[in-house]
């Protein structure tokens, strides 16, 4: 069974913009699914609805494996295009945030904060401030923050789009490694064909006016890079 499904999801914003027509999408356990399509085709809208950050105007979001009425958002990690770190807080305190919101004291959270930072290669930067880090490193902190709750589902909205090509290249590799280590399910929004082919186990191609799925491509295994 899918981890989560969008069933006939439509979204019309209050200004009349139809962002999604009637989107059907299954997210399968353990996959790295790319939502690929041109800017404005409704990828972010679909991702936000999956995350519970936005309401669908029509259709339904189903979590077949979850108990009725349960709040699923605790099991979701979300990585935004901008790293959105708190500039006044250390790297460790930024990563602590999702656990802090669940009431986990800093001392109790520390082993998990350290583990999350180690996974993204920033173990020695716990006491640093965001301004001391490069763009790629800030994005890694943002990924550590999304992983610290050990979510079953990691949603990423064009996370590397604002970074230079070499940094993006490195982070793509790290994401594949992390996903394999953690065994979590990832939905990755991108408008880069290269990124979707390199990263994904499956690609769903969307088109605009109004947002809908036009193709689905299975990628057996992400290709090895020479
Ligand atoms: P993508 O992520 O594929 O670039 P989006 O989901 O961000 O696409 O946007 C889909 C469409 O909905 C676009 O036409 C966009 O301008 C519009 N849109 C997105 N958010 C809003 C909003 N809050 N209010 C009105 N229109 C919006
Ligand atoms: P990324 O490694 O995320 O691609 P950048 O390429 O923007 O980051 O790195 C900019 C600078 O920060 C480089 O000098 C790089 O060596 C340094 N840097 C990046 N990650 C680390 C790290 N984990 N430890 C030490 N230095 C790092």
């Amino acid at each position: 069974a899918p981890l989560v499904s969008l069933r006939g999801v439509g979204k019309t914003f209050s200004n009349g913009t139809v962002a999604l027509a009637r989107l059907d999408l299954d997210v399968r356990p353990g996959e790295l699914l790319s939502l690929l399509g041109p800017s404005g085709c409704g990828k972010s809208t679909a991702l936000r609805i999956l995350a519970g950050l936005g309401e669908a105007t029509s259709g339904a979001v189903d979590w077949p494996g979850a108990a009725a009425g349960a709040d699923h958002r605790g099991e979701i990690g979300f990585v935004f295009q901008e790293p959105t770190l708190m500039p006044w807080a250390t790297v460790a305190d930024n990563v602590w945030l999702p656990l802090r919101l669940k009431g986990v004291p800093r001392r109790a959270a520390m082993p998990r904060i350290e583990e999350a930072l180690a996974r993204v290669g920033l173990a020695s930067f716990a006491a640093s401030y965001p301004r001391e880090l490069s763009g790629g490193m800030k994005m890694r902190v943002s990924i550590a923050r999304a992983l610290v709750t050990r979510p079953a589902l990691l949603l990423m909205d064009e996370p590397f789009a604002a970074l230079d090509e070499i940094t993006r290249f490195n982070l793509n590799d790290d994401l594949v490694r992390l996903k394999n280590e953690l065994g979590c399910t990832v939905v990755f929004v991108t408008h880069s064909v290269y990124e979707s082919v390199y990263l994904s186990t499956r690609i769903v191609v969307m088109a605009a006016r109004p947002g809908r799925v036009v193709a689905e491509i299975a990628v057996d295994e992400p290709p090895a890079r020479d």
Side-chain angles (χ1 to χ4, degrees):
L3 184 64
V4 53
S5 295
L6 299 182
R7 295 262 163 264
V9 161
K11 176 72 179 185
T12 304
F13 285 102
S14 51
N15 67 358
T17 304
V18 182
L20 295 173
R22 209 182 167 286
L23 185 65
D24 289 303
L25 181 72
D26 283 341
V27 180
R28 302 169 189 160
E31 74 176 341
L32 205 165
L33 172 65
S34 282
L35 281 184
L36 172 70
S39 192
C41 74
K43 305 182 296 295
S44 295
T45 302
L47 202 70
R48 292 176 60 83
I49 290 171
L50 275 175
L53 294 171
E55 292 279 335
T57 321
S58 57
V61 185
D62 292 330
W63 290 79
D71 180 3
H72 314 292
R73 273 169 286 184
E75 301 156 24
I76 296 174
F78 203 101
V79 177
F80 298 90
Q81 181 166 342
E82 297 296 323
T84 60
L85 303 177
M86 302 178 290
W88 60 85
T90 62
V91 164
D93 285 344
N94 270 284
V95 174
W96 175 32
L97 183 67
L99 293 175
R100 185 180 171 187
L101 293 174
K102 292 177 159 212
V104 183
R106 192 174 190 279
R107 185 188 292 261
M110 215 52 205
R112 281 166 71 179
I113 295 169
E114 283 167 356
E115 192 215 323
L117 284 173
R119 284 202 185 277
V120 298
L122 293 177
S124 56
F125 290 85
S128 302
Y129 285 87
R131 64 172 175 275
E132 303 172 72
L133 307 182
S134 70
M137 292 162 84
K138 280 185 223 171
M139 186 47 74
R140 285 171 203 273
V141 175
S142 175
I143 293 170
R145 181 181 56 189
L147 293 175
V148 78
T149 58
R150 302 190 181 128
L153 180 60
L154 181 62
L155 303 176
M156 308 182 88
D157 191 358
E158 306 215 31
F160 310 146
L163 301 172
D164 66 80
E165 208 152 329
I166 291 175
T167 303
R168 195 158 72 220
F169 205 75
N170 291 337
L171 285 171
N172 282 342
D173 276 348
D174 290 345
L175 181 61
V176 170
R177 176 184 52 76
L178 264 177
K179 195 232 155 233
N180 290 337
E181 280 173 18
L182 299 172
C184 59
T185 306
V186 182
V187 182
F188 187 96
V189 162
T190 182
H191 59 251
S192 158
V193 173
Y194 170 80
E195 203 162 55
S196 66
V197 170
Y198 180 67
L199 287 175
S200 322
T201 55
R202 193 161 64 98
I203 304 169
V204 165
V205 185
M206 292 177 66
R209 282 182 285 279
R212 65 196 196 283
V213 172
V214 290
E216 193 184 311
I217 301 159
V219 184
D220 284 342
E221 218 159 280
R225 197 178 258 162
D226 299 325

